[in-house]
């Protein structure tokens, strides 16, 4: 599938899943905006993907409205428009609910939900007039399933389903589609950070966290890969009709089937 010069803003794209999505988009003929809190890493990632012709970097704290608006405006000024949003930026904080700091709860929802809202609001200003666009939100199996210690994360990822479904309805008359990608556990720094944290909280070994907690419900005991998710993101961005709008697609080696 090809993107034929379409412009994609990918948040949290200096590393991990976001970076691989950006790479896949450039390989498919798209142009990408690497939006990340770490501007040095974003600049390096943009250079790696081809430099100013195919990729630029913008500094963006997705929970800061001024930074989101400035980043999107810079992206549109550079490439002419925004055709695709991949709202991917996210963090993970784990605690049992009785110990979960309220500040950490607000930070989680601010990045995952406020960030998706603010980026959507800024990007549809360019999508609506051109009567086309694709909104892609990075959910999780936790958009559908709950896990202990992850009250804020599960709440945020469930919330993205609601935002995406609403945008599928609001965006339809403007030619804008909306979807959620729901990965299983992908071996990124975000997941690597969780392994010792959950081992400590659950009182089990790190090996058991991987085999039982993270991969125990998969059909093959395998991690989902960044390539798996990048392929799904390309499929959704390049899809030609509204047939799939409002849907979530789960890539989890059978962990969640629905």
């Amino acid at each position: 599938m090809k993107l034929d010069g379409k412009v994609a803003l990918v948040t949290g794209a200096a590393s991990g899943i976001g970076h691989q999505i950006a790479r896949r988009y450039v390989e498919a003929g798209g142009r990408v905006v690497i939006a990340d809190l770490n501007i040095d890493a974003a600049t390096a990632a943009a250079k790696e993907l081809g430099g100013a012709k195919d990729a630029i970097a913008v500094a963006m704290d997705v929970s800061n409205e001024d930074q989101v608006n400035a980043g999107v405006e810079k992206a549109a000024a550079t490439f002419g428009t925004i055709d695709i949003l991949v709202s991917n930026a996210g963090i993970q904080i784990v605690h049992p609910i009785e110990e979960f700091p309220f500040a950490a709860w607000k930070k989680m929802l601010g990045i995952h939900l406020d960030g998706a809202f603010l980026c959507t609001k800024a990007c549809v200003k360019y999508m609506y007039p051109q009567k086309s666009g694709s909104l892609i939100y990075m959910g999780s199996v936790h958009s559908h399933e709950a896990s202990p210690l992850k009250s804020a994360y599960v709440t945020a990822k469930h919330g993205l389903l609601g935002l995406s479904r609403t945008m599928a309805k609001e965006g339809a008359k403007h030619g804008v589609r909306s979807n959620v990608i729901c990965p299983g556990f992908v071996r990124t720094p975000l997941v690597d950070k969780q392994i010792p944290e959950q081992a400590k909280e659950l009182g089990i070994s790190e090996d058991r966290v991987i085999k039982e907690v993270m991969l125990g419900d998969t059909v093959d005991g395998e991690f989902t890969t960044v390539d798996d998710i990048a392929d799904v993101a390309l499929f959704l961005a390049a899809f030609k009709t509204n047939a799939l709008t409002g849907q979530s697609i789960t890539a989890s080696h059978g962990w969640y089937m629905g």
Side-chain angles (χ1 to χ4, degrees):
M1 304 186 85
K2 295 294 184 182
L3 293 182
D4 299 323
K6 290 190 180 297
V7 179
L9 177 78
V10 186
T11 67
S15 62
I17 292 172
H19 183 55
Q20 192 64 16
I21 291 172
R23 180 188 301 281
R24 188 72 86 251
Y25 283 0
V26 170
E27 291 171 348
R31 294 171 290 170
V32 298
V33 180
I34 309 290
D36 203 278
L37 195 62
N38 185 335
I39 187 58
D40 291 336
T43 300
K47 184 177 180 180
E48 176 194 341
L49 295 179
K53 175 177 172 291
D54 296 318
I56 64 167
V58 297
M60 187 181 292
D61 173 352
V62 296
S63 64
N64 182 302
E65 185 172 14
D66 290 339
Q67 285 194 33
V68 169
N69 290 340
V72 171
E73 288 169 11
K74 178 181 176 181
T78 301
F79 288 138
T81 190
I82 303 291
D83 298 296
I84 302 155
L85 166 66
V86 181
S87 181
N88 168 74
I91 62 169
Q92 179 61 283
I93 302 171
V94 296
H95 292 288
I97 189 71
E98 68 273 16
E99 298 173 9
F100 215 117
F102 187 36
W105 168 276
K106 290 190 287 185
K107 181 177 181 179
M108 287 282 291
L109 269 61
I111 292 171
H112 290 272
L113 285 182
D114 295 352
F117 164 77
L118 291 172
C119 289
T120 300
K121 184 178 179 182
C123 287
V124 296
K125 290 195 301 183
Y126 297 95
M127 295 177 180
Y128 281 4
Q130 68 192 19
K131 295 293 182 181
S132 66
S134 174
L135 302 169
I136 299 172
Y137 304 97
M138 194 57 62
S140 166
V141 165
H142 288 106
S143 296
H144 301 282
E145 293 278 356
S147 290
L149 310 179
K150 297 182 178 180
S151 54
Y153 188 80
V154 171
T155 298
K157 293 305 189 182
H158 272 64
L160 290 176
L161 293 178
L163 175 61
S164 177
R165 291 164 180 167
T166 300
M167 290 312 304
K169 292 181 179 292
E170 287 193 17
K173 64 184 177 183
H174 304 286
V176 173
R177 308 182 309 278
S178 177
N179 294 98
V180 182
I181 301 174
C182 297
F185 281 103
V186 181
R187 199 70 188 262
T188 64
L190 188 68
V191 166
D192 283 336
K193 176 177 176 290
Q194 291 179 56
I195 295 170
E197 290 176 343
Q198 292 204 49
K200 180 180 178 181
E201 291 285 359
L202 296 172
I204 60 177
S205 69
E206 293 186 13
D207 187 59
R208 286 185 62 193
V209 169
I210 294 171
K211 290 182 178 179
E212 298 174 17
V213 177
M214 293 185 168
L215 304 179
D217 290 328
T218 65
V219 299
D220 54 10
E222 297 288 337
F223 280 103
T224 305
T225 69
V226 292
D227 285 314
D228 294 331
I229 305 308
D231 287 343
V232 175
L234 176 58
F235 171 76
L236 291 172
F239 205 79
K240 299 295 185 184
T241 75
N242 284 327
L244 293 176
T245 195
Q247 300 300 319
S248 62
I249 296 181
T250 303
S252 68
H253 287 249
W255 170 14
Y256 174 82
M257 302 181 191

